[in-house]
Every structure is written in C-alpha cells, then in structure tokens.
Amino acid sequence: QVSVVESGGGLVQAGDSLTLSCKVSGLTFDDYAMGWFRQGPGKERESVSCLSWKGDSTYYSDSVKGRFTISRDNAKNTLYLQMNNLKSADTGMYYCAALSPWVYVYCSNDWSAIQRRPDFGFWGQGTQVTVSS
C-alpha cells in the first residue's frame, strides 16, 4: 500500500523560511517523478514545483521561482521543498504527489486534466502553510 505523508507546515511570518518534507513508502521511489502542489483559500489547486524521476530536471511556477527549491533524497524516500522569503500569497494547503514519470512534462500546465487517470500517481493528505503579513 502506497503512503505519501507531508510534514513541516506551520504558521510563519512574511519573509520567513520553511522546509516541507514528504515521506513516501510502498513504491519504488526512484522510479517516480515528484511534485509539490498547493491550494490557497478559495483557489484551485496549482502546481508549485516538480522534479523528474532522474532528478535532472525541475519545474517551478513563476510565482515561486527563485524562492523555492525542490530536492529529493532517494536513500530516504523523501522529497523536500525549501521555501524562502515566504509571502502571504504562499498561504495554502501543500500537497505532495508521487507522479508517474510521464506526468512530469504536464507539471507546468494541463496536469489537472490528467490527474484522474489511474496511472497519474499518488497524493498525500497535505500540510498547511500559513504566512502572516
């Protein structure tokens, strides 16, 4: 049984840093692309950052580029998201997803149209990030 568990969220002030973690079990972690998505209050879920299964390619949304860094530790089956200079607009529920390798190219757009495919991947339950201004 696949398990995807996020941690590290919390309440911080604007300008602060926070690191999210995502522990995955029940699958061969190295075979999966990984991604962070978020859903702000009253907004649709959006992609934040994705990392290819080889770890040689990354995607960042324009809103977080230069502030967030995605990384993975295959030995620990864990994905990270280092978030610096947080803004109130970063507030939301952050979800980790273990993605089938072919999904990576959809991270920048159209991912929502394919997320219901059975081979899309696996979602976590989310961790809340709240940034006060």
Side-chain angles (χ1 to χ4, degrees):
Q1 186 173 350
V2 177
S3 173
V4 179
V5 181
E6 304 93 336
S7 62
L11 173 63
V12 296
Q13 293 187 336
D16 285 352
S17 297
L18 203 59
T19 300
L20 305 183
S21 299
C22 171
K23 178 72 172 179
V24 180
S25 61
L27 53 75
T28 304
F29 186 72
D30 307 28
D31 289 346
Y32 283 76
M34 297 296 299
W36 287 101
F37 300 76
R38 71 184 179 191
Q39 187 164 12
K43 299 180 181 179
E44 295 186 350
R45 192 175 298 189
E46 61 177 347
S47 58
V48 174
S49 181
C50 294
L51 182 60
S52 65
W53 70 277
K54 287 185 177 180
D56 58 353
S57 182
T58 56
Y59 159 77
Y60 296 97
S61 68
D62 288 342
S63 61
V64 307
K65 199 172 295 182
R67 300 188 296 122
F68 289 13
T69 303
I70 191 171
S71 62
R72 64 192 297 165
D73 186 335
N74 288 346
K76 296 182 178 180
N77 285 11
T78 301
L79 178 75
Y80 303 97
L81 185 68
Q82 173 68 43
M83 305 184 294
N84 297 327
N85 190 22
L86 282 161
K87 305 176 180 181
S88 56
D90 296 317
T91 293
M93 185 69 78
Y94 282 69
Y95 298 91
C96 173
L99 307 168
S100 294
W102 62 269
V103 174
Y104 173 77
V105 297
Y106 292 91
C107 276
S108 59
N109 55 53
D110 295 332
W111 68 269
S112 61
I114 61 170
Q115 66 172 317
R116 286 182 171 77
R117 286 183 52 158
D119 56 345
F120 178 85
F122 303 91
W123 291 97
Q125 294 301 305
T127 185
Q128 178 68 36
V129 173
T130 302
V131 183
S132 63
S133 57

